[in-house]
Amino acid sequence: MSRFSFLGFHRSKRQLPPARSGVAEFLLQPPQWLHLALRLRGSVIPAILSQVLVCSVFGLLVTAIDRYVLNVHWPVLGSLIPSIVLGLLLVFRTNTAYERFWEGRRQWGNIVNSSRSLTRLMWTAIDENGPEDRQAKIDAVHLVGVFAIATKQHLRGESFAELEPLLKPHQYKELQTVQNVPLRIALWLEDYLHHQHRRGHLSLYQLTYMDELLVQLVDAMGACERILKTPMPLAYAIHLKQLLFLYCLLLPFQLVDNLVWWTGPMVGLIAFTLFGVEEIGIEIENPFGRDLNDLPLDAICLTMQQNINDLIRAPTHRHPSAQPFS
């Protein structure tokens, strides 16, 4: 049965006119916005639920006291923490976190672009005199993808077991005693390039340009380390959290006279909005983890590996008479 049959709608099997098919298909699509609005996975609701419940219950408690014990309506508390001040603090917090997120994505874009250029030049520029040279070049090109995976693991603070199938036993053993694994892999690449230049398989101009691309890879890794090791100042995060709690706990005293028993739900809704914005900033300020709101580093590294494999499988044409498209 169609997923729309319970609404009484069925997709027509008749071919739609070309000019109107796009509009008709759009109208028949499920309400994706509703599915997204009700989605819990990837949202900040689980992280802020306890805070919202505390504010809501406190609002109901203030309402009960106001109704059955004594009048606690104090509208003067509304000017204690101006909304514009709290709003500016939240905007600054979120913007700063998003800048870190976007800078992390930009640096990984640099890693992808520099890796593609470096592997392409290595594969086409370095001469081969035999099967050993070709295998050494394949291993070196694969090291560029290994560098990206090692950078991902380095930023996440995880073990480098993912690299074991991609390296030779002696290489993986050497990495066990290294503090900065991506930097050691970059050193291996540089050694390979200089070795090929000494053998005459690489010109000085080609070596210089490839070295610049390798420097860009290391610089991008360093920029990611800077993002990771420069968190939001703790004093700022604590002060903002304290202001949010104080604001939400003072709200019931301002609203109870007008909303009565609706005070609790309304305070919970406002707390959900404020704490949600603040939690989003916390979620994205470190974009290198495994959360749904972090950068898809696994997918990026997998794409790089696929690109490298495609490059290796592609035929090379080294003679002037050879035509790539003939």
Side-chain angles (χ1 to χ4, degrees), residues 61-280:
L61 179 62
V62 171
T63 303
I65 295 175
D66 182 76
R67 294 286 292 176
Y68 301 115
V69 182
L70 75 158
N71 183 12
V72 294
H73 176 56
W74 294 342
V76 69
L77 295 179
S79 59
L80 185 61
I81 303 177
S83 301
I84 187 171
V85 174
L86 190 62
L88 289 175
L89 287 174
L90 280 175
V91 168
F92 176 76
R93 175 73 171 87
T94 307
N95 286 348
T96 302
Y98 185 76
E99 286 177 5
R100 294 163 56 87
F101 180 87
W102 177 245
E103 176 67 13
R105 182 60 185 94
R106 192 172 69 86
Q107 294 301 332
W108 269 91
N110 292 337
I111 291 177
V112 171
N113 294 335
S114 298
S115 297
R116 287 172 176 170
S117 298
L118 180 59
T119 53
R120 175 175 52 84
L121 290 174
M122 290 173 62
W123 190 251
T124 57
I126 298 176
D127 293 331
E128 305 171 9
N129 290 338
E132 293 182 357
D133 289 344
R134 182 177 180 84
Q135 185 59 47
K137 186 165 69 172
I138 290 175
D139 293 341
V141 169
H142 274 302
L143 279 181
V144 180
V146 172
F147 173 87
I149 298 175
T151 301
K152 175 192 67 174
Q153 302 297 96
H154 176 66
L155 295 174
R156 289 177 174 175
E158 299 176 349
S159 67
F160 295 89
E162 187 178 348
L163 301 180
E164 187 172 6
L166 306 174
L167 296 171
K168 297 178 180 178
H170 73 276
Q171 290 177 324
Y172 183 73
K173 183 178 180 180
E174 181 179 343
L175 293 181
Q176 304 305 307
T177 60
V178 175
Q179 182 179 7
N180 194 315
V181 171
L183 196 59
R184 178 57 59 90
I185 295 173
L187 180 62
W188 291 345
L189 282 168
E190 192 167 9
D191 285 344
Y192 171 79
L193 294 177
H194 282 265
H195 179 66
Q196 296 304 314
H197 171 65
R198 289 192 296 269
R199 295 180 61 195
H201 293 180
L202 201 61
S203 69
L204 180 60
Y205 173 78
Q206 292 170 332
L207 174 65
T208 302
Y209 188 67
M210 291 183 191
D211 269 340
E212 291 178 357
L213 291 173
L214 195 55
V215 168
Q216 292 176 16
L217 287 175
V218 176
D219 287 347
M221 180 196 68
C224 292
E225 288 179 327
R226 171 174 51 82
I227 296 173
L228 180 67
K229 297 181 180 180
T230 312
M232 181 67 63
L234 181 61
Y236 181 88
I238 292 175
H239 189 64
L240 178 58
K241 183 75 73 174
Q242 290 171 343
L243 283 180
L244 285 174
F245 261 116
L246 185 60
Y247 182 82
C248 292
L249 294 180
L250 292 179
L251 269 177
F253 299 98
Q254 307 169 41
L255 306 177
V256 66
D257 193 48
N258 296 321
L259 298 182
V260 194
W261 290 109
W262 285 100
T263 302
M266 184 56 65
V267 170
L269 180 62
I270 296 174
F272 169 78
T273 304
L274 297 178
F275 284 113
V277 172
E278 195 250 351
E279 186 64 28
I280 289 173

Side-chain angles (χ1 to χ4, degrees), residues 3 15 27 34 69 99 123 157 168 258 268 282 306 316 322 324:
R3 54 179 170 179
Q15 182 67 32
L27 293 176
L34 182 60
V69 182
E99 286 177 5
W123 190 251
K168 297 178 180 178
N258 296 321
I282 296 175
Q306 293 172 345
T316 56

Side-chain angles (χ1 to χ4, degrees), residues 6-26:
F6 70 96
L7 294 174
F9 294 101
H10 300 272
R11 290 187 180 273
S12 174
K13 297 182 180 179
R14 180 173 56 88
Q15 182 67 32
L16 296 170
R20 310 178 78 179
S21 59
V23 177
E25 288 293 328
F26 175 78

